[in-house]
Amino acid sequence: MRIGELAQASAVSRDTLRFYEQRGLIAAQRSANGYRDYPPDVVQLVLYIKTAQRLGFTLGEIGSSVAALWQSPDPDSAVTQLLQDKLKLIETRMDELGALRHELQQRLGQRCPLTP
């Protein structure tokens, strides 16, 4: 499948696909004339990348987990574990932000620490 076909099938721009390839998230074979040729299962992989990004995963996180998921004997369990880990990370970050918010609210009524 050529890059244009993949772009259309996955609703992603050609530039995005080139970027994903540059980051090592997807791979293409090169034909004799230099065109990229993607296997059909890359459509599923690109859709996974888009979904993972929408769920807050960085491209680095996606890149470090996608190979293991692709080769996992139980991809459903592997994805569930990734989602649980991400949720835990987000909840921790929300707690930290809540504590920061509380501290900022406490300091609103105080004098500037730079004033002598």
Side-chain angles (χ1 to χ4, degrees), residues 20 44-59 61-63 65-66 69 79 82-83 86:
Y20 287 170
Q44 182 181 0
L45 179 56
V46 172
L47 295 174
Y48 169 79
I49 292 168
K50 286 175 47 178
T51 300
Q53 283 184 291
R54 203 170 42 253
L55 292 173
F57 289 88
T58 66
L59 288 178
E61 290 170 327
I62 296 166
S65 66
V66 76
L69 288 175
V79 168
L82 280 174
L83 294 173
K86 187 65 169 182

Side-chain angles (χ1 to χ4, degrees), residues 107 109-116:
R107 291 180 182 245
Q110 297 177 2
R111 290 179 39 115
C112 175
L114 301 175
T115 304

Side-chain angles (χ1 to χ4, degrees), residues 9-107:
S10 59
V12 170
S13 72
R14 294 173 189 210
D15 288 339
T16 298
L17 295 171
R18 289 184 194 103
F19 180 73
Y20 287 170
E21 188 173 353
Q22 197 175 48
R23 297 282 310 254
L25 298 171
I26 62 173
Q29 299 283 329
R30 292 291 184 150
S31 62
N33 58 7
Y35 291 143
R36 290 173 170 86
D37 188 29
Y38 296 94
D41 58 357
V42 174
V43 173
Q44 182 181 0
L45 179 56
V46 172
L47 295 174
Y48 169 79
I49 292 168
K50 286 175 47 178
T51 300
Q53 283 184 291
R54 203 170 42 253
L55 292 173
F57 289 88
T58 66
L59 288 178
E61 290 170 327
I62 296 166
S64 66
S65 66
V66 76
L69 288 175
W70 203 254
Q71 298 170 357
S72 174
D74 186 8
D76 289 335
S77 294
V79 168
T80 297
Q81 185 62 51
L82 280 174
L83 294 173
Q84 288 172 339
D85 292 346
K86 187 65 169 182
L87 184 59
K88 186 182 251 183
L89 181 71
I90 289 170
E91 288 171 346
T92 299
R93 184 67 178 136
M94 288 175 64
D95 291 343
E96 291 169 352
L97 287 170
L100 179 59
R101 179 177 185 242
H102 179 73
E103 184 177 345
L104 287 169
Q105 287 174 333
Q106 295 299 319
R107 291 180 182 245

